[in-house]
Amino acid sequence: MGTDRSLGQLVATATTELSALVHDEIALAKAELRQDAKRVGIGGGAIAAAGTLALFSLPVLSFAAAYGIHNLGLGLAWSFLIVGGAFLLIAALLGLLAVGRFKKVSKPEKSIASAKQTAAVLGTVKPHPRPLTGTGPADASVTRSTV
């Protein structure tokens, strides 16, 4: 029968097939990561473009709001003052929100306690002196510094 193979041939075949399987899995993972990286790059570029356009639109919208208020019958200077004041009010509210969030940040209590406990344990450890081995004439010629 031609289908009878030795143990060595079976192991060699299994090793070859396993190696091919691993290489194929790695190639698949690389292809998926490449595709995901491309998507992330495009998404990041789109977010950057959107942020830039939003930033550039602020002065235009500010002028539009000021001239819109002016068309209601208020003086132009007062219209711009109202728009500027609205921006300052929004900035103050966002600042207060940020301060409130920062105040809620606490110290990492568990990490500090763990570090203190480790320091306390290490502070009580005493080194164990090693016995001198081979104290013969060769060791006598070595002088040790007391500094």
Side-chain angles (χ1 to χ4, degrees), residues 61-112:
L61 293 175
S62 298
F63 275 95
Y67 278 106
I69 294 171
H70 175 66
N71 284 338
L72 294 176
L74 204 57
L76 192 58
W78 287 107
S79 300
F80 276 98
L81 191 62
I82 290 171
V83 171
F87 282 147
L88 286 177
L89 181 65
I90 292 171
L93 290 174
L94 289 173
L96 288 174
L97 176 72
V99 167
R101 296 293 174 164
F102 286 141
K103 285 185 178 180
K104 289 182 180 178
V105 174
S106 63
K107 295 187 284 188
E109 298 293 337
K110 291 180 182 177
S111 298
I112 292 171

Side-chain angles (χ1 to χ4, degrees), residues 6-94:
S6 69
L7 181 62
Q9 291 172 331
L10 289 174
V11 169
T13 302
T15 303
T16 302
E17 290 177 3
L18 183 63
S19 176
L21 178 65
V22 169
H23 285 292
D24 290 345
E25 290 293 329
I26 291 172
L28 177 63
K30 283 182 181 178
E32 287 177 345
L33 288 175
R34 218 176 286 124
Q35 187 177 16
D36 287 343
K38 189 176 182 181
R39 287 181 182 146
V40 167
I42 292 171
I47 286 176
T52 303
L53 289 175
L55 183 64
F56 288 160
S57 72
L58 282 178
V60 174
L61 293 175
S62 298
F63 275 95
Y67 278 106
I69 294 171
H70 175 66
N71 284 338
L72 294 176
L74 204 57
L76 192 58
W78 287 107
S79 300
F80 276 98
L81 191 62
I82 290 171
V83 171
F87 282 147
L88 286 177
L89 181 65
I90 292 171
L93 290 174
L94 289 173

